[in-house]
Amino acid sequence: MAANMIGVPKRIIVFYDSKKIITMFNPEITGKNQPYETEEGCLSLLGGPRSVTRYKSIKVRYQDKFMKTHEKRFSGFTAQIIQHEVDHCNGVLI
């Protein structure tokens, strides 16, 4: 979930990954590899899934709740979730 989806004009995303909830403040995708085409749905849009290009592996720079900066690689479905939510932060709807 991206904060701006619920009316909070901040660059914050929250998602579930491997049995834990991760919160990213000011997430930026700084690297991406292996594009692929997929379909995604979205709570912000009516209708069925839409086609979108995503990347199998991404590198993200973000701050944690203490504003400490991290840079980490993500892959697979977690990478897809992050890309979707960062798009929301950037004002992009699929």
Side-chain angles (χ1 to χ4, degrees):
M1 172 79 54
N4 60 347
M5 289 176 60
I6 57 170
V8 179
K10 306 283 183 189
R11 293 185 57 83
I12 304 167
I13 66 172
V14 178
F15 59 95
Y16 185 76
D17 179 41
S18 301
K19 301 180 183 179
K20 63 182 174 181
I21 296 172
I22 297 177
T23 302
M24 293 181 171
F25 294 87
N26 304 309
E28 294 179 63
I29 297 173
T30 59
K32 47 192 174 185
N33 295 303
Q34 297 177 289
Y36 66 98
E37 296 298 317
T38 190
E39 290 189 342
E40 293 179 357
C42 183
L43 297 173
S44 298
L45 300 172
L46 297 175
R50 292 170 170 82
S51 295
V52 64
T53 301
R54 295 293 183 212
Y55 295 85
K56 291 182 181 178
S57 173
I58 61 171
K59 189 174 183 182
V60 183
R61 182 175 31 243
Y62 65 96
Q63 283 84 42
D64 62 20
K65 65 182 179 181
F66 303 107
M67 293 296 121
K68 180 179 176 189
T69 300
H70 300 268
E71 197 158 30
K72 186 174 175 184
R73 289 202 168 276
F74 296 89
S75 61
F77 190 60
T78 301
Q80 185 174 342
I81 291 168
I82 294 168
Q83 291 168 82
H84 182 99
E85 300 307 336
V86 169
D87 276 355
H88 279 300
C89 289
N90 293 334
V92 176
L93 295 177
I94 57 170

